[in-house]
Amino acid sequence: GSRKMRPVMWLEGGTDWMAGTKGGVVRMDGGEGTALTPLSIRVRPASGYGADTPLPVLIGDSLIYVQQAKRIIRGVSPR
């Protein structure tokens, strides 16, 4: 897989941390039953659609964000 550096547009805390980048949205946690720390971090893709500003909004069970280029609204589960 590609390991390109992508700027982080926003971070959202919750059960898992979510990061919106120009390359997609990723979910971050500490792994199975482990707290998120600098030494225990697991990053998994949540959406392949890049993110942009403004900040996302949690509506019900969906994190709503603006896709890169600011033309489409997307939603992703923050859990």
Side-chain angles (χ1 to χ4, degrees):
S2 174
R3 296 191 54 92
K4 294 180 182 178
M5 296 295 288
R6 307 227 193 267
V8 173
M9 305 309 293
W10 47 259
L11 290 171
E12 182 70 28
T15 304
D16 294 342
W17 279 87
M18 305 291 282
T21 74
K22 291 287 186 176
V25 177
V26 295
R27 176 177 285 111
M28 298 175 289
D29 63 22
E32 296 291 326
T34 305
L36 177 65
T37 71
L39 298 176
S40 70
I41 185 168
R42 176 174 65 172
V43 179
R44 298 169 289 151
S47 170
Y49 297 105
D52 211 326
T53 57
L55 296 175
V57 176
L58 186 61
I59 299 177
D61 289 336
S62 294
L63 187 64
I64 307 300
Y65 70 96
V66 176
Q67 185 178 329
Q68 186 177 356
K70 298 183 180 182
R71 294 184 183 197
I72 298 174
I73 305 284
R74 299 275 181 194
V76 65
S77 173
R79 292 170 181 72

